[in-house]
């Protein structure tokens, strides 16, 4: 269950972008962006099929995911069919304001021992603004999971969206929520920012619904700016810098992030520095590309790594919220540090992906 709302535009500037996730929150962000970039491949990482639409044994290499699939009797055929038509979406960037509102709401679920979207009596836009997000918002969304066992389990729950498929009682129908609202929020192309909040208070031993160990809330949103003539939703460069030594799986793992790495963005032809930032304590970075436009080649450099520059261009499209908004899709960059065999030197491998806008998915 979730909300997605829209509002007519008013003139003004958006909030200042900030990023301060924990290592586990950065990991969930990386998983979310991996899913948005390739939904079908992400499903293959979460579940096992012996053949298309037929469960393997076990159904998942993650015991918590396998247990959920078994409990709800999730249909492999229906799951595979639904994923066959999913389209990719641009990446989302971390927002400290959304993280604040999400953490507050997770605490509220713990205090009330409920998993519900209406515990504070506020609309979702009021909730995120109370956390410090911009009042100039265009879209907002929320996912909740009050009994998340692990980060992978929570991610799998939203991606697969197991639950009551509105089948005839007894049983859970096809074992997939109908509609698959959590998945729809994760793949909504107009969302640009996310905050993932875990509870910051102790879970009472008597709780029966909000039991954790992670009581998780995800808040999604998109904001705009007005330059006196046009409305814009600017792109954000998001990603991570990490040393692949703990899991050695070519993917970010909590504890592998590298802090304080400079990331610079230049206009390629002129060499003008147009944006810059540093990786945060978890190794993630989120750099606002305010004023950057399509039709221009940009390059990303991480000078401390001595890597060759990475090149990207921006994709744009128009969204209408009572007035046209020029949307620039986010871009994603990952810098992976790999120890060289037999030596102490480090080599850096970089990958940059510009994810194209595909389609909007809204569910109320």
């Amino acid at each position: 269950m979730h909300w997605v709302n829209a509002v007519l535009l008013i003139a003004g500037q958006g909030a200042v972008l900030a990023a301060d996730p924990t290592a586990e929150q950065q990991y969930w962000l990386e998983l979310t962006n991996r899913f948005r970039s390739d939904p079908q491949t992400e499903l293959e990482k979460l579940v096992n099929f012996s053949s298309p639409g037929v469960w393997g044994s076990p159904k998942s290499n993650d015991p918590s995911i396998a247990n959920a699939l078994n409990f709800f009797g999730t249909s492999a055929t229906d799951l595979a069919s639904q994923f066959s038509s999913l389209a990719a979406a641009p990446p989302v960037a971390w927002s400290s304001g959304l993280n604040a509102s999400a953490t507050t709401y997770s605490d509220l679920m713990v205090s009330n021992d409920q998993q519900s979207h209406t515990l504070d009596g506020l609309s979702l836009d009021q909730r995120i603004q109370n956390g410090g997000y911009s009042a100039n918002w265009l879209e907002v969304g929320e996912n909740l999971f009050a009994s998340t066992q692990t980060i992978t389990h929570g991610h799998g729950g939203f991606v697969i969206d197991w639950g009551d498929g509105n089948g005839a009682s007894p049983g859970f129908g096809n074992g997939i929520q109908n509609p698959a609202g959590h998945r729809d929020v994760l793949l909504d192309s107009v969302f640009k920012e996310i905050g993932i909040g875990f509870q910051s208070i102790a879970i009472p031993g008597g709780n029966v619904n909000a039991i954790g160990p992670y009581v998780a809330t995800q808040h999604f949103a998109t904001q705009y700016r007005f330059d006196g003539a046009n409305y814009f939703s600017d792109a954000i460069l998001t990603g991570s810098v990490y040393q692949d030594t703990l899991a050695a799986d070519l993917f970010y793992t909590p504890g592998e992030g590298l802090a304080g790495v400079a990331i610079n963005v230049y206009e390629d032809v002129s060499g003008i520095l147009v944006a810059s930032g540093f990786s945060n304590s978890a190794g993630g970075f989120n750099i606002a590309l305010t004023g950057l436009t399509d039709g221009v080649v940009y390059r990303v450099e991480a000078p401390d790594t001595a890597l060759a520059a990475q090149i990207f261009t921006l994709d744009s499209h128009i969204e209408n919220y009572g007035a046209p908004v020029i949307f620039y899709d986010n871009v994603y960059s990952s810098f992976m540090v790999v120890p060289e065999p037999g030596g102490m030197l480090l080599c850096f491998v970089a990958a940059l992906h510009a994810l194209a806008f595909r389609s909007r998915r809204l569910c109320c």
Side-chain angles (χ1 to χ4, degrees), residues 86-118:
L86 296 182
V92 287
W94 185 262
S95 164
S96 59
L98 295 178
N99 168 242
S101 62
T103 301
T104 296
Y105 202 79
S106 289
D107 286 346
L108 192 61
M109 286 196 289
V110 170
S111 298
N112 287 270
D113 190 22
Q114 294 184 54
Q115 179 175 293
S116 168
H117 292 280
T118 60

Side-chain angles (χ1 to χ4, degrees), residues 16 24 39 82 85 96 102 172 208 226 313 342 345 357:
V16 175
E24 289 180 317
Q82 290 178 12
S85 62
S96 59
F172 298 105
V208 296
F226 183 63
T313 57
L345 297 177
F357 171 82

Side-chain angles (χ1 to χ4, degrees), residues 241-248 251-253 255-258 335-339 346:
V241 184
Y242 64 98
Q243 183 170 318
D244 192 32
T245 54
L246 297 180
F251 191 73
Y252 180 95
T253 299
E256 292 182 342
L258 298 177
F335 295 86
M336 183 179 68
V337 182
V338 181
L346 297 178

Side-chain angles (χ1 to χ4, degrees), residues 163-210:
D164 187 351
N166 296 338
S169 183
F172 298 105
N174 67 357
I176 305 170
Q177 295 198 40
N178 183 18
H182 303 90
R183 187 195 307 154
D184 291 345
V185 167
L186 285 181
L187 283 178
D188 193 326
S189 295
V190 295
F191 284 138
K192 288 192 171 182
E193 296 179 89
I194 186 175
I196 304 169
F198 307 133
Q199 78 280 3
S200 61
I201 60 175
I203 300 175
N207 273 18
V208 296
N209 295 309

Side-chain angles (χ1 to χ4, degrees), residues 287-301:
I287 301 172
L289 303 179
T290 306
L292 274 62
T293 186
D294 52 348
V296 178
V297 178
Y298 300 99
R299 71 175 185 266
V300 181
E301 296 183 0

Side-chain angles (χ1 to χ4, degrees), residues 228-245:
N230 297 294
Y231 295 101
F232 297 90
S233 184
D234 293 298
I236 304 168
L237 173 65
T238 186
S240 61
V241 184
Y242 64 98
Q243 183 170 318
D244 192 32
T245 54

